[in-house]
Amino acid sequence: DAGVIQSPRHEVTEMGQEVTLRCKPISGHDYLFWYRQTMMRGLELLIYFNNNVPIDDSGMPEDRFSAKMPNASFSTLKIQPSEPRDSAVYFCASSSTQGSTDTQYFGPGTRLTVL
Amino acid sequence: DQQVKQNSPSLSVQEGRISILNCDYTNSMFDYFLWYKKYPAEGPTFLISISSIKDKNEDGRFTVFLNKSAKHLSLHIVPSQPGDSAVYFCAASLRTAGSYQLTFGKGTKLSVIP
C-alpha cells in the first residue's frame, strides 16, 4: 500500500491567496483527519471525517479554513484568504475501525509558507 | 488548555542506555494512549499503544507504562540506538466514547549519542 498521500509537499504563497491542500487516504480506511503542526501549538487536530462525513470541525481556526471529502479516496483543506500566521506543516492521517487496525497513519505533510 | 503534556522538549541519551520519555494528561476519561515517532520531513508513525485497563505494554525494545492514578505514562527504549533519534509524541483518545480523535502532546526530541 502506498500509504497516505499528500500534495503538494511544499507550498509558498502570498498573503491573500487561496491555498488548497490535498490528501488521498489509505484505501479502505473510514476515518480521515487533518492536523496542523506549529512550534507554538504542536500537533493540533483541525477536523476529521468518518465515512466522508465531517464529524468534528471544532479545531478549524477560522472561517477562512474549510475542508471537504467528496469521496472515500480524496479530501481537500482550503484556506481562503491565506495569512502569514497560517504558515505551518499540515498533515493528513487516516485510520480504519475495522479489525485491529485503529491507529492513525499519517501522510508526509505539506509545508505551507505564506509570505 | 493542554490536556496532554510532555514537559521535556528534548532528551539526550548515550547509545545502549535507557531512554525514558514522559507524558502527563489531565482528562481522566482518556482510555487509550499511543506513542508516535516522527523523523524530520516525515509524518508521525505509530510506535506503541496501551489501553487504560493495562499498566504495561511491551514491543521489542519499547515498553509503555501507564499510571492511571497519577495520570502519567512513560515510554522506555532499551537499549537506545542512534536510529531512535526522533521526536516522540504522546497521544490520548476516548475510545469507549466512540471517539478516535487523538489529542497530542507537543513532543520530546530524543537524541541518541553514539
Side-chain angles (χ1 to χ4, degrees), chain A residues 9 31 33 35 37 39-43 45 48 56 91 95 97 102-108, chain B residues 32 34 36 38 41-46 49 87 89 95 98-106:
Chain A
R9 292 294 308 275
Y31 276 83
F33 306 82
Y35 291 89
Q37 184 185 23
M39 290 294 292
M40 287 295 293
R41 302 177 67 87
L43 198 60
L45 178 68
Y48 75 97
D56 187 346
F91 290 103
S95 67
T97 56
D102 54 10
T103 54
Q104 294 183 19
Y105 294 84
F106 283 75
Chain B
Y32 200 75
L34 307 91
Y36 280 78
K38 184 184 180 303
E42 295 182 9
T45 56
F46 169 73
S49 62
V87 177
F89 292 96
R95 293 290 175 86
S99 172
Y100 292 87
Q101 176 178 338
L102 294 179
T103 302
F104 282 87
K106 290 191 175 182

mmCIF file of all heavy atoms in Angstrom, chain A residues 9 31 33 35 37 39-43 45 48 56 91 95 97 102-108, chain B residues 32 34 36 38 41-46 49 87 89 95 98-106:
data_model
loop_
_atom_site.group_PDB
_atom_site.id
_atom_site.type_symbol
_atom_site.label_atom_id
_atom_site.label_comp_id
_atom_site.label_asym_id
_atom_site.label_seq_id
_atom_site.Cartn_x
_atom_site.Cartn_y
_atom_site.Cartn_z
ATOM 1 N N ARG A 9 3.889 18.861 -1.485
ATOM 2 C CA ARG A 9 4.731 18.686 -0.302
ATOM 3 C C ARG A 9 5.164 20.031 0.267
ATOM 4 O O ARG A 9 5.350 20.178 1.472
ATOM 5 C CB ARG A 9 5.969 17.851 -0.646
ATOM 6 C CG ARG A 9 5.674 16.403 -0.980
ATOM 7 C CD ARG A 9 5.144 15.634 0.229
ATOM 8 N NE ARG A 9 5.984 15.756 1.404
ATOM 9 C CZ ARG A 9 7.040 15.001 1.653
ATOM 10 N NH1 ARG A 9 7.393 14.057 0.803
ATOM 11 N NH2 ARG A 9 7.755 15.176 2.760
ATOM 12 N N TYR A 31 -11.795 6.648 8.446
ATOM 13 C CA TYR A 31 -11.602 7.919 9.137
ATOM 14 C C TYR A 31 -10.489 8.710 8.445
ATOM 15 O O TYR A 31 -9.461 8.145 8.035
ATOM 16 C CB TYR A 31 -11.186 7.693 10.607
ATOM 17 C CG TYR A 31 -12.334 7.455 11.549
ATOM 18 C CD1 TYR A 31 -12.890 6.192 11.691
ATOM 19 C CD2 TYR A 31 -12.868 8.499 12.310
ATOM 20 C CE1 TYR A 31 -13.951 5.971 12.563
ATOM 21 C CE2 TYR A 31 -13.917 8.278 13.192
ATOM 22 C CZ TYR A 31 -14.448 7.013 13.306
ATOM 23 O OH TYR A 31 -15.499 6.795 14.177
ATOM 24 N N PHE A 33 -8.302 12.484 9.012
ATOM 25 C CA PHE A 33 -8.019 13.569 9.941
ATOM 26 C C PHE A 33 -7.109 14.597 9.266
ATOM 27 O O PHE A 33 -6.188 14.229 8.541
ATOM 28 C CB PHE A 33 -7.308 13.041 11.192
ATOM 29 C CG PHE A 33 -8.023 11.925 11.900
ATOM 30 C CD1 PHE A 33 -7.901 10.612 11.456
ATOM 31 C CD2 PHE A 33 -8.804 12.184 13.016
ATOM 32 C CE1 PHE A 33 -8.555 9.569 12.105
ATOM 33 C CE2 PHE A 33 -9.459 11.153 13.675
ATOM 34 C CZ PHE A 33 -9.333 9.850 13.225
ATOM 35 N N TYR A 35 -4.504 17.661 10.445
ATOM 36 C CA TYR A 35 -3.785 18.257 11.564
ATOM 37 C C TYR A 35 -2.922 19.414 11.069
ATOM 38 O O TYR A 35 -2.529 19.479 9.904
ATOM 39 C CB TYR A 35 -2.836 17.240 12.216
ATOM 40 C CG TYR A 35 -3.488 16.111 12.962
ATOM 41 C CD1 TYR A 35 -3.829 14.931 12.312
ATOM 42 C CD2 TYR A 35 -3.735 16.214 14.334
ATOM 43 C CE1 TYR A 35 -4.405 13.880 13.009
ATOM 44 C CE2 TYR A 35 -4.303 15.166 15.035
ATOM 45 C CZ TYR A 35 -4.631 14.000 14.359
ATOM 46 O OH TYR A 35 -5.203 12.965 15.051
ATOM 47 N N GLN A 37 0.692 21.423 12.408
ATOM 48 C CA GLN A 37 1.788 21.416 13.367
ATOM 49 C C GLN A 37 2.531 22.743 13.319
ATOM 50 O O GLN A 37 3.008 23.179 12.263
ATOM 51 C CB GLN A 37 2.781 20.282 13.085
ATOM 52 C CG GLN A 37 3.884 20.203 14.130
ATOM 53 C CD GLN A 37 4.931 19.162 13.810
ATOM 54 O OE1 GLN A 37 5.126 18.755 12.677
ATOM 55 N NE2 GLN A 37 5.624 18.699 14.843
ATOM 56 N N MET A 39 5.280 25.334 15.927
ATOM 57 C CA MET A 39 6.172 25.302 17.086
ATOM 58 C C MET A 39 5.404 25.663 18.350
ATOM 59 O O MET A 39 5.600 25.072 19.409
ATOM 60 C CB MET A 39 7.340 26.275 16.881
ATOM 61 C CG MET A 39 8.317 25.837 15.814
ATOM 62 S SD MET A 39 9.190 24.342 16.292
ATOM 63 C CE MET A 39 10.172 24.961 17.639
ATOM 64 N N MET A 40 4.507 26.641 18.227
ATOM 65 C CA MET A 40 3.818 27.144 19.417
ATOM 66 C C MET A 40 2.770 26.165 19.938
ATOM 67 O O MET A 40 2.648 25.969 21.147
ATOM 68 C CB MET A 40 3.137 28.475 19.080
ATOM 69 C CG MET A 40 4.100 29.625 18.914
ATOM 70 S SD MET A 40 4.957 30.000 20.462
ATOM 71 C CE MET A 40 3.593 30.595 21.456
ATOM 72 N N ARG A 41 2.016 25.570 19.037
ATOM 73 C CA ARG A 41 0.854 24.780 19.445
ATOM 74 C C ARG A 41 1.031 23.284 19.279
ATOM 75 O O ARG A 41 0.168 22.506 19.672
ATOM 76 C CB ARG A 41 -0.382 25.256 18.679
ATOM 77 C CG ARG A 41 -0.696 26.737 18.887
ATOM 78 C CD ARG A 41 -1.884 27.161 18.037
ATOM 79 N NE ARG A 41 -3.113 26.534 18.476
ATOM 80 C CZ ARG A 41 -3.908 27.017 19.433
ATOM 81 N NH1 ARG A 41 -3.598 28.139 20.038
ATOM 82 N NH2 ARG A 41 -5.015 26.380 19.759
ATOM 83 N N GLY A 42 2.158 22.883 18.690
ATOM 84 C CA GLY A 42 2.376 21.456 18.478
ATOM 85 C C GLY A 42 1.460 20.916 17.398
ATOM 86 O O GLY A 42 1.101 21.619 16.448
ATOM 87 N N LEU A 43 1.038 19.674 17.564
ATOM 88 C CA LEU A 43 0.206 18.984 16.575
ATOM 89 C C LEU A 43 -1.251 19.090 17.022
ATOM 90 O O LEU A 43 -1.643 18.504 18.023
ATOM 91 C CB LEU A 43 0.634 17.527 16.503
ATOM 92 C CG LEU A 43 0.232 16.681 15.304
ATOM 93 C CD1 LEU A 43 0.782 17.270 14.024
ATOM 94 C CD2 LEU A 43 0.742 15.266 15.494
ATOM 95 N N LEU A 45 -5.463 18.947 16.033
ATOM 96 C CA LEU A 45 -6.473 18.435 15.115
ATOM 97 C C LEU A 45 -7.342 19.578 14.607
ATOM 98 O O LEU A 45 -7.854 20.376 15.393
ATOM 99 C CB LEU A 45 -7.341 17.401 15.817
ATOM 100 C CG LEU A 45 -8.476 16.799 14.992
ATOM 101 C CD1 LEU A 45 -7.943 15.932 13.871
ATOM 102 C CD2 LEU A 45 -9.400 15.976 15.893
ATOM 103 N N TYR A 48 -12.078 16.156 11.443
ATOM 104 C CA TYR A 48 -11.992 14.788 10.989
ATOM 105 C C TYR A 48 -13.316 14.310 10.404
ATOM 106 O O TYR A 48 -14.389 14.839 10.735
ATOM 107 C CB TYR A 48 -11.457 13.838 12.062
ATOM 108 C CG TYR A 48 -12.394 13.454 13.181
ATOM 109 C CD1 TYR A 48 -13.113 12.266 13.140
ATOM 110 C CD2 TYR A 48 -12.489 14.240 14.323
ATOM 111 C CE1 TYR A 48 -13.927 11.887 14.199
ATOM 112 C CE2 TYR A 48 -13.292 13.865 15.380
ATOM 113 C CZ TYR A 48 -14.004 12.690 15.318
ATOM 114 O OH TYR A 48 -14.801 12.309 16.365
ATOM 115 N N ASP A 56 -16.262 16.401 13.423
ATOM 116 C CA ASP A 56 -15.889 17.437 14.383
ATOM 117 C C ASP A 56 -14.952 18.425 13.696
ATOM 118 O O ASP A 56 -13.849 18.063 13.305
ATOM 119 C CB ASP A 56 -15.200 16.811 15.595
ATOM 120 C CG ASP A 56 -14.923 17.809 16.710
ATOM 121 O OD1 ASP A 56 -15.013 19.036 16.472
ATOM 122 O OD2 ASP A 56 -14.590 17.378 17.823
ATOM 123 N N PHE A 91 -0.771 18.041 8.168
ATOM 124 C CA PHE A 91 -0.759 16.595 7.985
ATOM 125 C C PHE A 91 -2.176 16.076 7.792
ATOM 126 O O PHE A 91 -3.127 16.540 8.411
ATOM 127 C CB PHE A 91 -0.173 15.890 9.220
ATOM 128 C CG PHE A 91 1.301 16.101 9.401
ATOM 129 C CD1 PHE A 91 1.781 16.987 10.346
ATOM 130 C CD2 PHE A 91 2.218 15.388 8.639
ATOM 131 C CE1 PHE A 91 3.140 17.180 10.527
ATOM 132 C CE2 PHE A 91 3.577 15.565 8.813
ATOM 133 C CZ PHE A 91 4.035 16.474 9.757
ATOM 134 N N SER A 95 -7.413 6.277 9.281
ATOM 135 C CA SER A 95 -7.444 5.085 10.117
ATOM 136 C C SER A 95 -8.673 4.251 9.780
ATOM 137 O O SER A 95 -9.611 4.737 9.148
ATOM 138 C CB SER A 95 -7.456 5.451 11.609
ATOM 139 O OG SER A 95 -8.666 6.082 11.957
ATOM 140 N N THR A 97 -11.485 1.533 11.528
ATOM 141 C CA THR A 97 -12.031 0.967 12.756
ATOM 142 C C THR A 97 -12.414 -0.495 12.576
ATOM 143 O O THR A 97 -12.969 -1.105 13.474
ATOM 144 C CB THR A 97 -13.259 1.757 13.221
ATOM 145 O OG1 THR A 97 -14.217 1.784 12.162
ATOM 146 C CG2 THR A 97 -12.870 3.156 13.609
ATOM 147 N N ASP A 102 -6.599 0.281 14.242
ATOM 148 C CA ASP A 102 -7.283 1.506 14.631
ATOM 149 C C ASP A 102 -6.324 2.603 15.041
ATOM 150 O O ASP A 102 -6.687 3.505 15.780
ATOM 151 C CB ASP A 102 -8.287 1.238 15.737
ATOM 152 C CG ASP A 102 -7.647 0.541 16.923
ATOM 153 O OD1 ASP A 102 -6.404 0.437 16.973
ATOM 154 O OD2 ASP A 102 -8.401 0.110 17.803
ATOM 155 N N THR A 103 -5.089 2.513 14.594
ATOM 156 C CA THR A 103 -4.171 3.623 14.807
ATOM 157 C C THR A 103 -4.169 4.501 13.560
ATOM 158 O O THR A 103 -4.567 4.066 12.477
ATOM 159 C CB THR A 103 -2.746 3.121 15.065
ATOM 160 O OG1 THR A 103 -2.366 2.259 13.992
ATOM 161 C CG2 THR A 103 -2.674 2.352 16.362
ATOM 162 N N GLN A 104 -3.722 5.717 13.722
ATOM 163 C CA GLN A 104 -3.742 6.653 12.609
ATOM 164 C C GLN A 104 -2.443 6.586 11.819
ATOM 165 O O GLN A 104 -1.351 6.498 12.395
ATOM 166 C CB GLN A 104 -3.973 8.074 13.122
ATOM 167 C CG GLN A 104 -5.353 8.242 13.742
ATOM 168 C CD GLN A 104 -5.635 9.664 14.182
ATOM 169 O OE1 GLN A 104 -4.982 10.606 13.739
ATOM 170 N NE2 GLN A 104 -6.630 9.823 15.039
ATOM 171 N N TYR A 105 -2.589 6.628 10.497
ATOM 172 C CA TYR A 105 -1.448 6.615 9.590
ATOM 173 C C TYR A 105 -1.349 7.991 8.957
ATOM 174 O O TYR A 105 -2.303 8.452 8.335
ATOM 175 C CB TYR A 105 -1.626 5.527 8.526
ATOM 176 C CG TYR A 105 -1.595 4.136 9.110
ATOM 177 C CD1 TYR A 105 -2.745 3.572 9.663
ATOM 178 C CD2 TYR A 105 -0.422 3.395 9.130
ATOM 179 C CE1 TYR A 105 -2.719 2.310 10.224
ATOM 180 C CE2 TYR A 105 -0.389 2.126 9.679
ATOM 181 C CZ TYR A 105 -1.537 1.589 10.223
ATOM 182 O OH TYR A 105 -1.510 0.340 10.779
ATOM 183 N N PHE A 106 -0.191 8.595 9.122
ATOM 184 C CA PHE A 106 -0.005 9.962 8.672
ATOM 185 C C PHE A 106 0.660 10.035 7.305
ATOM 186 O O PHE A 106 1.514 9.203 6.966
ATOM 187 C CB PHE A 106 0.871 10.736 9.664
ATOM 188 C CG PHE A 106 0.154 11.171 10.908
ATOM 189 C CD1 PHE A 106 -0.161 10.261 11.905
ATOM 190 C CD2 PHE A 106 -0.222 12.494 11.081
ATOM 191 C CE1 PHE A 106 -0.832 10.650 13.053
ATOM 192 C CE2 PHE A 106 -0.879 12.904 12.229
ATOM 193 C CZ PHE A 106 -1.183 11.979 13.208
ATOM 194 N N GLY A 107 0.281 11.059 6.550
ATOM 195 C CA GLY A 107 0.990 11.374 5.333
ATOM 196 C C GLY A 107 2.258 12.149 5.656
ATOM 197 O O GLY A 107 2.515 12.471 6.823
ATOM 198 N N PRO A 108 3.044 12.480 4.638
ATOM 199 C CA PRO A 108 4.323 13.172 4.861
ATOM 200 C C PRO A 108 4.170 14.647 5.182
ATOM 201 O O PRO A 108 5.133 15.294 5.600
ATOM 202 C CB PRO A 108 5.053 12.984 3.535
ATOM 203 C CG PRO A 108 3.962 12.858 2.524
ATOM 204 C CD PRO A 108 2.847 12.137 3.231
ATOM 205 N N TYR B 32 -7.278 5.418 26.054
ATOM 206 C CA TYR B 32 -6.343 4.776 25.136
ATOM 207 C C TYR B 32 -5.210 5.754 24.864
ATOM 208 O O TYR B 32 -5.463 6.933 24.618
ATOM 209 C CB TYR B 32 -7.066 4.415 23.826
ATOM 210 C CG TYR B 32 -6.371 3.360 23.004
ATOM 211 C CD1 TYR B 32 -6.416 2.024 23.401
ATOM 212 C CD2 TYR B 32 -5.711 3.681 21.830
ATOM 213 C CE1 TYR B 32 -5.804 1.047 22.647
ATOM 214 C CE2 TYR B 32 -5.087 2.702 21.074
ATOM 215 C CZ TYR B 32 -5.138 1.387 21.494
ATOM 216 O OH TYR B 32 -4.522 0.410 20.745
ATOM 217 N N LEU B 34 -1.242 6.420 23.040
ATOM 218 C CA LEU B 34 -0.360 5.987 21.969
ATOM 219 C C LEU B 34 0.917 6.824 21.975
ATOM 220 O O LEU B 34 0.925 7.974 22.431
ATOM 221 C CB LEU B 34 -1.037 6.164 20.592
ATOM 222 C CG LEU B 34 -2.427 5.542 20.405
ATOM 223 C CD1 LEU B 34 -3.525 6.552 20.766
ATOM 224 C CD2 LEU B 34 -2.611 5.102 18.962
ATOM 225 N N TYR B 36 3.806 8.106 19.158
ATOM 226 C CA TYR B 36 4.171 8.229 17.757
ATOM 227 C C TYR B 36 5.592 8.753 17.695
ATOM 228 O O TYR B 36 6.048 9.513 18.548
ATOM 229 C CB TYR B 36 3.237 9.195 17.021
ATOM 230 C CG TYR B 36 1.917 8.603 16.610
ATOM 231 C CD1 TYR B 36 0.895 8.424 17.529
ATOM 232 C CD2 TYR B 36 1.689 8.225 15.293
ATOM 233 C CE1 TYR B 36 -0.318 7.879 17.143
ATOM 234 C CE2 TYR B 36 0.471 7.681 14.897
ATOM 235 C CZ TYR B 36 -0.526 7.514 15.835
ATOM 236 O OH TYR B 36 -1.721 6.970 15.452
ATOM 237 N N LYS B 38 8.455 10.650 15.081
ATOM 238 C CA LYS B 38 8.494 11.469 13.878
ATOM 239 C C LYS B 38 9.941 11.843 13.520
ATOM 240 O O LYS B 38 10.651 12.449 14.329
ATOM 241 C CB LYS B 38 7.666 12.739 14.074
ATOM 242 C CG LYS B 38 7.593 13.592 12.805
ATOM 243 C CD LYS B 38 6.846 14.881 13.048
ATOM 244 C CE LYS B 38 6.779 15.715 11.770
ATOM 245 N NZ LYS B 38 8.122 16.011 11.204
ATOM 246 N N ALA B 41 10.860 15.918 8.157
ATOM 247 C CA ALA B 41 10.271 15.882 6.808
ATOM 248 C C ALA B 41 9.404 14.641 6.567
ATOM 249 O O ALA B 41 9.118 14.303 5.415
ATOM 250 C CB ALA B 41 11.357 15.973 5.736
ATOM 251 N N GLU B 42 9.003 13.971 7.636
ATOM 252 C CA GLU B 42 8.087 12.846 7.503
ATOM 253 C C GLU B 42 6.909 13.036 8.441
ATOM 254 O O GLU B 42 6.972 13.820 9.389
ATOM 255 C CB GLU B 42 8.785 11.526 7.842
ATOM 256 C CG GLU B 42 9.906 11.157 6.892
ATOM 257 C CD GLU B 42 10.519 9.815 7.242
ATOM 258 O OE1 GLU B 42 9.971 9.101 8.103
ATOM 259 O OE2 GLU B 42 11.560 9.481 6.644
ATOM 260 N N GLY B 43 5.822 12.289 8.177
ATOM 261 C CA GLY B 43 4.711 12.314 9.108
ATOM 262 C C GLY B 43 4.981 11.425 10.307
ATOM 263 O O GLY B 43 5.840 10.542 10.255
ATOM 264 N N PRO B 44 4.260 11.646 11.405
ATOM 265 C CA PRO B 44 4.417 10.770 12.573
ATOM 266 C C PRO B 44 4.040 9.334 12.221
ATOM 267 O O PRO B 44 3.142 9.097 11.408
ATOM 268 C CB PRO B 44 3.420 11.361 13.581
ATOM 269 C CG PRO B 44 3.203 12.769 13.139
ATOM 270 C CD PRO B 44 3.313 12.739 11.647
ATOM 271 N N THR B 45 4.730 8.386 12.819
ATOM 272 C CA THR B 45 4.403 6.969 12.628
ATOM 273 C C THR B 45 4.104 6.341 13.979
ATOM 274 O O THR B 45 4.764 6.630 14.979
ATOM 275 C CB THR B 45 5.545 6.200 11.940
ATOM 276 O OG1 THR B 45 6.743 6.374 12.704
ATOM 277 C CG2 THR B 45 5.781 6.697 10.539
ATOM 278 N N PHE B 46 3.124 5.471 13.984
ATOM 279 C CA PHE B 46 2.698 4.804 15.211
ATOM 280 C C PHE B 46 3.812 3.914 15.751
ATOM 281 O O PHE B 46 4.470 3.191 15.001
ATOM 282 C CB PHE B 46 1.454 3.972 14.933
ATOM 283 C CG PHE B 46 1.078 3.043 16.054
ATOM 284 C CD1 PHE B 46 0.525 3.544 17.219
ATOM 285 C CD2 PHE B 46 1.301 1.681 15.939
ATOM 286 C CE1 PHE B 46 0.191 2.685 18.254
ATOM 287 C CE2 PHE B 46 0.972 0.823 16.963
ATOM 288 C CZ PHE B 46 0.410 1.326 18.131
ATOM 289 N N SER B 49 1.041 1.359 21.739
ATOM 290 C CA SER B 49 -0.137 1.895 22.407
ATOM 291 C C SER B 49 -0.443 1.099 23.664
ATOM 292 O O SER B 49 0.121 0.017 23.885
ATOM 293 C CB SER B 49 -1.345 1.858 21.475
ATOM 294 O OG SER B 49 -1.653 0.510 21.113
ATOM 295 N N VAL B 87 11.561 12.847 17.085
ATOM 296 C CA VAL B 87 10.635 13.490 18.016
ATOM 297 C C VAL B 87 9.547 12.472 18.365
ATOM 298 O O VAL B 87 8.985 11.833 17.468
ATOM 299 C CB VAL B 87 9.998 14.753 17.409
ATOM 300 C CG1 VAL B 87 8.980 15.357 18.375
ATOM 301 C CG2 VAL B 87 11.085 15.780 17.078
ATOM 302 N N PHE B 89 5.900 11.762 20.131
ATOM 303 C CA PHE B 89 4.653 12.371 20.565
ATOM 304 C C PHE B 89 3.823 11.372 21.365
ATOM 305 O O PHE B 89 3.655 10.226 20.956
ATOM 306 C CB PHE B 89 3.819 12.820 19.356
ATOM 307 C CG PHE B 89 4.404 13.962 18.583
ATOM 308 C CD1 PHE B 89 5.171 13.728 17.458
ATOM 309 C CD2 PHE B 89 4.174 15.275 18.978
ATOM 310 C CE1 PHE B 89 5.705 14.786 16.728
ATOM 311 C CE2 PHE B 89 4.706 16.330 18.257
ATOM 312 C CZ PHE B 89 5.475 16.084 17.135
ATOM 313 N N ARG B 95 -11.753 6.162 23.439
ATOM 314 C CA ARG B 95 -12.277 5.081 22.612
ATOM 315 C C ARG B 95 -13.665 4.624 23.048
ATOM 316 O O ARG B 95 -14.536 4.373 22.222
ATOM 317 C CB ARG B 95 -11.328 3.875 22.652
ATOM 318 C CG ARG B 95 -10.000 4.120 21.994
ATOM 319 C CD ARG B 95 -10.149 4.244 20.483
ATOM 320 N NE ARG B 95 -8.920 4.588 19.821
ATOM 321 C CZ ARG B 95 -8.005 3.707 19.442
ATOM 322 N NH1 ARG B 95 -8.191 2.435 19.675
ATOM 323 N NH2 ARG B 95 -6.910 4.111 18.821
ATOM 324 N N GLY B 98 -16.504 6.263 21.702
ATOM 325 C CA GLY B 98 -16.656 6.171 20.259
ATOM 326 C C GLY B 98 -15.876 7.203 19.497
ATOM 327 O O GLY B 98 -16.114 7.426 18.308
ATOM 328 N N SER B 99 -14.907 7.837 20.177
ATOM 329 C CA SER B 99 -14.123 8.865 19.503
ATOM 330 C C SER B 99 -12.724 8.363 19.215
ATOM 331 O O SER B 99 -12.041 7.879 20.111
ATOM 332 C CB SER B 99 -14.043 10.128 20.368
ATOM 333 O OG SER B 99 -13.130 11.053 19.798
ATOM 334 N N TYR B 100 -12.313 8.463 17.981
ATOM 335 C CA TYR B 100 -10.957 8.102 17.589
ATOM 336 C C TYR B 100 -10.089 9.336 17.413
ATOM 337 O O TYR B 100 -9.001 9.270 16.880
ATOM 338 C CB TYR B 100 -11.003 7.252 16.313
ATOM 339 C CG TYR B 100 -11.628 5.906 16.573
ATOM 340 C CD1 TYR B 100 -13.000 5.740 16.486
ATOM 341 C CD2 TYR B 100 -10.850 4.823 16.973
ATOM 342 C CE1 TYR B 100 -13.584 4.515 16.770
ATOM 343 C CE2 TYR B 100 -11.432 3.613 17.255
ATOM 344 C CZ TYR B 100 -12.796 3.456 17.149
ATOM 345 O OH TYR B 100 -13.376 2.248 17.436
ATOM 346 N N GLN B 101 -10.618 10.462 17.881
ATOM 347 C CA GLN B 101 -9.860 11.710 17.840
ATOM 348 C C GLN B 101 -8.708 11.618 18.823
ATOM 349 O O GLN B 101 -8.876 11.193 19.956
ATOM 350 C CB GLN B 101 -10.792 12.848 18.232
ATOM 351 C CG GLN B 101 -10.146 14.203 18.334
ATOM 352 C CD GLN B 101 -11.167 15.268 18.680
ATOM 353 O OE1 GLN B 101 -12.355 15.089 18.445
ATOM 354 N NE2 GLN B 101 -10.720 16.366 19.242
ATOM 355 N N LEU B 102 -7.513 11.996 18.363
ATOM 356 C CA LEU B 102 -6.331 11.971 19.207
ATOM 357 C C LEU B 102 -5.970 13.369 19.668
ATOM 358 O O LEU B 102 -6.034 14.319 18.896
ATOM 359 C CB LEU B 102 -5.141 11.379 18.457
ATOM 360 C CG LEU B 102 -5.205 9.903 18.069
ATOM 361 C CD1 LEU B 102 -3.953 9.498 17.305
ATOM 362 C CD2 LEU B 102 -5.364 9.037 19.313
ATOM 363 N N THR B 103 -5.601 13.475 20.952
ATOM 364 C CA THR B 103 -5.052 14.704 21.491
ATOM 365 C C THR B 103 -3.567 14.467 21.724
ATOM 366 O O THR B 103 -3.195 13.542 22.463
ATOM 367 C CB THR B 103 -5.745 15.092 22.808
ATOM 368 O OG1 THR B 103 -7.145 15.242 22.570
ATOM 369 C CG2 THR B 103 -5.183 16.395 23.348
ATOM 370 N N PHE B 104 -2.733 15.283 21.097
ATOM 371 C CA PHE B 104 -1.291 15.076 21.136
ATOM 372 C C PHE B 104 -0.607 16.016 22.115
ATOM 373 O O PHE B 104 -1.039 17.147 22.329
ATOM 374 C CB PHE B 104 -0.682 15.329 19.750
ATOM 375 C CG PHE B 104 -0.872 14.209 18.764
ATOM 376 C CD1 PHE B 104 -2.016 14.145 17.990
ATOM 377 C CD2 PHE B 104 0.094 13.231 18.611
ATOM 378 C CE1 PHE B 104 -2.197 13.118 17.072
ATOM 379 C CE2 PHE B 104 -0.078 12.202 17.704
ATOM 380 C CZ PHE B 104 -1.227 12.142 16.929
ATOM 381 N N GLY B 105 0.503 15.534 22.679
ATOM 382 C CA GLY B 105 1.426 16.409 23.372
ATOM 383 C C GLY B 105 2.281 17.140 22.350
ATOM 384 O O GLY B 105 2.179 16.875 21.147
ATOM 385 N N LYS B 106 3.142 18.044 22.831
ATOM 386 C CA LYS B 106 3.958 18.838 21.911
ATOM 387 C C LYS B 106 5.223 18.115 21.452
ATOM 388 O O LYS B 106 5.928 18.624 20.582
ATOM 389 C CB LYS B 106 4.317 20.168 22.548
ATOM 390 C CG LYS B 106 3.129 21.107 22.677
ATOM 391 C CD LYS B 106 3.571 22.509 23.052
ATOM 392 C CE LYS B 106 2.387 23.457 23.045
ATOM 393 N NZ LYS B 106 2.779 24.848 23.347
#
